[in-house]
Amino acid sequence: MSFVQSAPRLAHPYRDDRVLNAWLAHTLPPARLEAMRPDLEALADYALMAWDRRCRTPRTEPVLTQWDAWGSRVDRIALTPAWEEGPAITTRHAVLAAGHAGSPWARVEEFARVYLYHVASEFYCCPLAMTDGAATALHASGNRALIERALPHFLSRDPATFWLSGQWMTETPGGSDVGRTETVARQDAEGQWHLYGRKWFSSAVVGEAALALARPEGAGTGTAALALFYVETKDDAGAWRGIAIDRLKKKLGTHELPTAEIHLDGLPATPVGPLDHGVRQIAPMLNVTRTWNAVCAVASMARAIALARDYATRRSAFGARLIDQPLHARTLADMQAEYEGAFSLTFHVAELLGRVEHGEHATHEAALLRLLTPLAKLWTAKVSIRVVSEALECFGGAGYIEDTGLPQLLRDAQVYAIWEGTTNVLSLDMLRALSGGVAPLRQAVDELVPDDGTPERATVVAALDAAEALLGEVAADRASMEASARGIAFTLARTMAAALLLRSARWSVAMGDPRPVAASRRFLARGLDRLALPANEDDALLAGAGAAAM
């Protein structure tokens, strides 16, 4: 018999994730963590089943049937099994509802669920993010009729009454430049608004509702003249309401996600608020969906590293297991440190979001959330692409073989840098958030890493000082400031992540777990000098990181 390599096995995504367990243990009150534990266990079990199914069955994609056998236009979309299961999983385990509970911990509890569910969901989390954002935007609008109409469906715990919401902004003239929107809103004789136009990128076309930008007929040009409308996509008989699906997009990744090009021809619509400044009205939605993006990016990193780590214990080369090869162990350790930094920043944003939404935040934390949200989104997106790519390389040729399920991880990761704002768009948004300076970030660093004279704190403060100095140097030259935005954004994101890792390292000392300390050392070393030689003992600690230390 010839040799057959055993495939990687996925560790339990909840019980064996020491980073998630440690974060939740230090963040949530014990009673709240215990109450949500059954949902976390169940979502992780579902993730194991979904990975096994993915490895055993051919991949499937949604299929659009535009016409029935007798020539009637139906625009029917057949979905994948994971998408068919989405409403039941979402409602049974409160994936969305948890985030809107009356508690400052609600967002942490929600995003822990999202983190465990995302990869298994086959990007069903994309419309979930938009539904969460729509619920947040409608709540912020104060429109009681729409709140009472839509939110019970968006946050339902019953799959029979659960609705998804889309987010229809992108058109052919402009992606991020929504001021070039060509969709027109016209009011009929009875006062009902109807939308007419073409939406070029509709990621949740199968949803029961959507928020859409349109220009009221007769309004001026530019972004300020746009209005935000709420729409429901089908009538009581299940027929599309003034919507024609032109085609489903063929994409690099997220193949299971039915992204469509659609025409709107008289779709009934309801203004969410005043008939102008619609982009301002969707701002609460964008803050939420960008946090979803960061959580999903971190989840993809966790999945790729978990598989690469397990494979390193199963694959031998040149007389030793990969995990025992010094260079391979260092590669895994480097990925682990970057992932832990990304996780720490992302879940800190989730925690801040919950506190700010419930008015239980410190004075500087609202400004801090405004700054960290685009930073977390843009930086975790780029890190996820790099880490997942590195993880695939850890499998050698098997990482390039479609049947292993591994290439999909990399294709899917590319969307994080594009969805909800590209790196450049968000870097410029960060500059707007920095109009008042870096004081909120500096205060946060001081709270996370008290001035104890350690070189680690000095490193973090020096990076923050350097970013602030560069901001001062380019402040008078807008072109130079914009050109520097990416570098500033990455520096500030890594600075905050490093501060959070140092706090986690302090937490871990009392628990006798040396791995968070090793992660903070490795992260700092990679941030200051890419040629630095880390301590060898850290390689074994981080490359073999597994179950939480209890």
Side-chain angles (χ1 to χ4, degrees):
M1 292 291 291
S2 61
F3 172 78
V4 177
Q5 174 63 49
S6 61
R9 296 178 186 172
L10 183 62
H12 195 272
Y14 172 52
R15 290 195 296 269
D16 292 328
D17 190 323
R18 69 164 176 86
V19 177
L20 174 65
N21 275 276
W23 182 271
L24 292 176
H26 284 92
T27 303
L28 289 178
R32 297 197 69 95
L33 177 55
E34 193 59 32
M36 70 183 294
R37 196 181 301 278
D39 286 325
L40 301 184
E41 290 274 1
L43 289 168
D45 291 343
Y46 179 80
L48 287 175
M49 181 280 298
W51 173 249
D52 180 65
R53 179 171 63 188
R54 170 66 185 87
C55 293
R56 288 186 293 103
T57 60
R59 38 174 311 125
T60 57
E61 297 183 11
V63 176
L64 169 64
T65 300
Q66 292 177 298
W67 310 91
D68 71 8
W70 303 99
S72 296
R73 184 73 181 260
V74 291
D75 287 346
R76 184 172 57 247
I77 299 175
L79 300 171
T80 68
W83 275 64
E84 295 286 1
E85 294 158 358
I89 295 294
T90 297
T91 54
R92 183 182 304 134
H93 302 297
V95 176
L96 281 184
H100 294 262
S103 164
W105 308 113
R107 291 300 187 179
V108 170
E109 295 169 352
E110 173 189 39
F111 285 119
R113 290 169 165 88
V114 173
Y115 172 82
L116 293 171
Y117 178 47
H118 167 59
V119 179
S121 81
E122 297 181 354
F123 275 81
Y124 188 74
C125 279
C126 172
L128 290 184
M130 290 183 281
T131 305
D132 192 358
T136 303
L138 290 179
H139 188 269
S141 75
N143 187 322
R144 296 310 310 172
L146 289 183
I147 290 171
E148 293 170 6
R149 169 66 178 169
L151 263 63
H153 290 289
F154 293 165
L155 305 178
S156 175
R157 297 294 305 270
D158 180 357
T161 59
F162 177 64
W163 285 3
L164 288 176
S165 176
Q167 178 179 307
W168 297 351
M169 313 296 169
T170 305
E171 302 191 4
T172 50
S176 299
D177 186 6
V178 295
R180 300 176 66 189
T181 293
E182 294 179 340
T183 299
V184 174
R186 299 191 183 110
Q187 201 169 21
D188 63 21
E190 286 74 37
Q192 174 66 57
W193 288 93
H194 298 268
L195 304 187
Y196 300 84
R198 188 184 193 191
K199 293 298 184 181
W200 183 243
F201 213 92
S202 303
S203 288
V205 71
V206 295
E208 291 79 3
L211 295 184
L213 287 175
R215 196 176 306 280
E217 194 168 40
T221 60
T223 304
L226 294 176
L228 182 64
F229 290 89
Y230 166 84
V231 303
E232 294 179 8
T233 59
K234 293 183 178 180
D235 61 23
D236 292 339
W240 295 102
R241 309 172 74 208
I243 300 172
I245 301 178
D246 297 335
R247 62 175 176 174
L248 297 183
K249 296 282 195 183
K250 296 293 184 181
K251 299 164 292 180
L252 171 68
T254 66
H255 291 165
E256 298 83 1
L257 168 60
T259 305
E261 298 170 19
I262 62 176
H263 268 90
L264 308 180
D265 187 18
L267 172 64
T270 302
V272 173
L275 292 172
D276 59 1
H277 295 292
V279 175
R280 187 179 300 166
Q281 296 171 44
I282 66 173
M285 173 170 61
L286 293 176
N287 288 335
V288 170
T289 54
R290 286 169 178 172
T291 305
W292 273 77
N293 195 102
V295 171
C296 292
V298 171
S300 289
M301 284 186 256
R303 171 63 60 87
I305 293 172
L307 291 170
R309 178 182 295 119
D310 181 81
Y311 187 71
T313 68
R314 299 177 185 280
R315 177 68 176 171
S316 294
F318 308 106
R321 298 182 309 164
L322 294 182
I323 195 70
D324 299 321
Q325 302 278 6
L327 184 54
H328 196 85
R330 178 161 293 181
T331 301
L332 290 173
D334 287 344
M335 290 192 296
Q336 179 71 20
E338 290 293 299
Y339 151 74
E340 292 195 31
F343 179 99
S344 297
L345 179 58
T346 296
F347 275 84
H348 189 66
V349 169
E351 183 183 356
L352 280 174
L353 177 62
R355 291 210 303 268
V356 169
E357 285 180 333
H358 289 85
E360 297 192 20
H361 57 286
T363 303
H364 70 288
E365 288 185 328
L368 181 65
L369 176 65
R370 171 68 182 89
L371 172 60
L372 291 184
T373 300
L375 287 179
K377 190 278 181 189
L378 70 88
W379 179 61
T380 58
K382 302 300 278 190
V383 175
S384 70
I385 297 168
R386 186 171 68 251
V387 166
V388 174
S389 178
E390 191 75 75
L392 261 62
E393 192 174 340
C394 290
F395 293 91
Y400 205 66
I401 301 301
E402 194 64 42
D403 292 350
T404 64
L406 298 168
Q408 181 181 356
L409 293 172
L410 181 56
R411 284 198 306 273
D412 289 349
Q414 186 63 54
V415 79
Y416 300 129
I418 299 170
W419 183 29
E420 298 307 318
T422 64
T423 307
N424 285 353
V425 167
L426 290 170
S427 295
L428 297 177
D429 187 49
M430 172 212 64
L431 290 181
R432 289 188 287 273
L434 279 172
S435 60
V438 301
L441 189 55
R442 193 175 292 280
Q443 185 169 346
V445 167
D446 287 342
E447 292 173 355
L448 292 167
V449 192
D451 190 358
D452 53 6
T454 61
E456 290 80 10
R457 173 186 158 84
T459 299
V460 170
V461 172
L464 184 55
D465 289 343
E468 187 174 33
L470 178 57
L471 279 167
E473 291 173 10
V474 299
D477 183 349
R478 186 66 194 180
S480 295
M481 178 176 285
E482 291 188 2
S484 303
R486 267 193 184 221
I488 294 169
F490 291 145
T491 299
L492 293 181
R494 292 186 68 84
T495 298
M496 189 64 182
L500 288 160
L501 285 176
L502 289 172
R503 182 181 67 171
S504 295
R506 290 202 313 276
W507 288 346
S508 71
V509 171
M511 298 177 64
D513 184 357
R515 291 168 294 186
V517 177
S520 64
R521 282 198 299 259
R522 179 60 55 91
F523 188 86
L524 285 169
R526 287 175 61 81
L528 296 178
D529 186 350
R530 298 293 178 175
L531 299 178
L533 297 177
N536 291 337
E537 57 265 30
D538 289 352
D539 294 339
L541 283 169
L542 293 173
M550 298 297 185

